[in-house]
Amino acid sequence: KALDKSTIKIVNTAEKSGASVVGPIPLPVKKKVWCVLKSPHVNKRGGEHYELRIHKRLIEIIDPPSVAIDALMGLDLPSGVDIELKII
C-alpha cells in the first residue's frame, strides 16, 4: 500500500511540473528465502524459514524539465520506499 501511494505521489509530481509520464509498470516480485536451524546439532528438518519480498515499479518520465527532477529529489517518501533516478 505504501508503494502504490508513493508511485501516485511521484506521478502527480512529475505531471504537475510539465513532464509526460508512462507507468507505473509493476515489475516481477523478487523473493529471498533462507532457513535458520533451531538447534545446531539435532533436528535438521526443524528450521525456521524466513522470506523477504521486494516489490518494484517502473515509472518512465519523458523529457523532464529541470524543475521536475528537483521536485522528485525533494519528495518525502515513507520508510521502506526508495527512489532511484536514472537520466538516460
Side-chain angles (χ1 to χ4, degrees), residues 9 13 41 44 52 54 60 65 72 76 83:
K9 186 186 262 188
T13 305
H41 302 295
K44 295 291 184 182
L52 178 70
I54 301 170
E60 187 172 353
L72 289 174
D76 185 31
I83 184 171

Side-chain angles (χ1 to χ4, degrees), residues 7 20 28 46:
T7 55
S20 59

Side-chain angles (χ1 to χ4, degrees), residues 22-63:
V22 175
I25 302 168
L27 297 176
V29 177
K30 290 186 180 180
K31 284 191 341 183
K32 294 182 180 180
V33 181
W34 62 93
C35 178
V36 177
L37 297 178
K38 289 182 182 178
S39 66
H41 302 295
V42 262
N43 298 331
K44 295 291 184 182
R45 293 186 182 182
E48 300 277 337
H49 293 277
Y50 296 99
E51 74 177 25
L52 178 70
R53 292 181 182 212
I54 301 170
H55 300 268
K56 292 183 180 182
R57 302 288 186 266
L58 176 67
I59 302 171
E60 187 172 353
I61 302 172
I62 301 170
D63 296 329

